Amino acid sequence: MANLPDMTKHRGFPTGMPGTGVQFIIRRANPRGVTPIKALPRRARPGTKEHRIDAAFLHALWHYFGSEPFERGNLDAARLNLLFGREVVAADKDFDPLSYEAMLVINEKVARQSFPESFDDVFEV
């Protein structure tokens, strides 16, 4: 196997949404290259399964990192892309969307408006 880029593994971060097959983290760096972080349109409306998955991921981010900037590391790009540019934003000006070391931060004001349930102490699955 080729040498894979270094990637911070967020130990203790939930692996995914139980009962859905949706993952929140990846096990290893992508040997074909880093999946870019970019804002994707979110079509999930409140009350849908997709909205609950996005809310659960944001809940995990909030309760693991809080309001502090965090490294992308092994967080799943597909999940991040659905929140990026709104609830999760670049933490600094020199953001590299193709880096596992890219720093992100939760835009708490927007996140609380979009997913108020994500900030509860317990998220019911």
Side-chain angles (χ1 to χ4, degrees):
M1 181 178 270
N3 287 341
L4 299 177
D6 287 336
M7 176 180 70
T8 298
K9 293 192 176 186
H10 301 295
R11 304 273 182 221
F13 194 87
T15 58
M17 178 84 163
T20 65
V22 174
Q23 65 185 35
F24 291 169
I25 58 172
I26 58 176
R27 283 184 237 139
R28 62 188 147 296
N30 186 343
R32 295 181 305 256
V34 180
T35 303
I37 297 297
K38 60 185 177 207
L40 291 179
R42 186 173 51 234
R43 300 184 196 333
R45 283 181 251 128
T48 63
K49 176 181 170 183
E50 293 81 15
H51 182 86
R52 295 275 307 152
I53 293 168
D54 292 340
F57 183 59
L58 183 60
H59 178 268
L61 289 172
W62 179 254
H63 289 280
Y64 194 88
F65 301 111
S67 60
E68 296 298 315
F70 57 92
E71 192 171 318
R72 170 190 177 174
N74 68 330
L75 298 174
D76 184 65
R79 296 268 51 96
L80 282 171
N81 287 342
L82 292 170
L83 300 178
F84 188 72
R86 296 173 294 268
E87 295 82 14
V88 175
V89 295
D92 42 50
K93 293 182 292 189
D94 57 341
F95 175 75
D96 180 1
L98 290 170
S99 172
Y100 288 121
E101 297 174 352
M103 296 300 290
L104 302 164
V105 67
I106 295 172
N107 181 340
E108 187 176 349
K109 181 179 179 186
V110 172
R112 283 186 182 275
Q113 290 174 341
S114 302
F115 298 99
E117 65 274 29
S118 296
F119 295 88
D120 293 343
D121 288 336
V122 176
F123 189 88
E124 294 293 330
V125 179

